[in-house]
Amino acid sequence: MVGSLIAGWDGWRGSMARLAVDRAYRGNRIATRLVERAEARLRKRGAKRIGALVFADNTLGQRFWRTAGYRREPTVTRFVKNL
């Protein structure tokens, strides 16, 4: 496996997280193809909006998502709880 992406659907919006491509295979549009395929599948299910989770310190990831047409959502804060 050289790349992976987790895509989810909650009945209203899609979400994507944990996009990863092996360093040796970066630059071959693998990430772009994974996202395009996920977007197509989510659109087919009825998604009108898709969000992508990216770590705050992941500048490469943030650049990728901006290039893919996504914008940072300034009004959302993520909450987590360790169990």
Side-chain angles (χ1 to χ4, degrees), residues 52 54 56 58-72:
V54 183
N58 184 349
T59 55
L60 181 63
Q62 290 181 34
R63 188 172 354 135
F64 170 83
W65 287 103
R66 279 193 301 274
T67 300
Y70 289 73
R71 62 177 173 77
R72 187 177 183 140

Side-chain angles (χ1 to χ4, degrees), residues 14-55:
S15 62
M16 291 190 268
R18 297 293 192 178
L19 174 62
V21 175
D22 186 301
R23 290 183 198 284
Y25 292 89
R26 291 183 184 167
N28 293 310
R29 297 187 40 85
I30 293 169
T32 299
R33 289 193 302 256
L34 287 168
V35 169
E36 288 171 349
R37 178 169 270 181
E39 287 175 340
R41 288 183 177 194
L42 291 166
R43 191 178 300 112
K44 189 174 182 179
R45 290 192 176 267
K48 303 288 186 216
R49 179 181 174 101
I50 301 172
L53 294 175
V54 183
F55 284 109

Side-chain angles (χ1 to χ4, degrees), residues 2-24:
V2 298
S4 67
L5 171 64
I6 298 170
W9 168 245
D10 68 5
W12 175 70
R13 67 181 163 240
S15 62
M16 291 190 268
R18 297 293 192 178
L19 174 62
V21 175
D22 186 301
R23 290 183 198 284

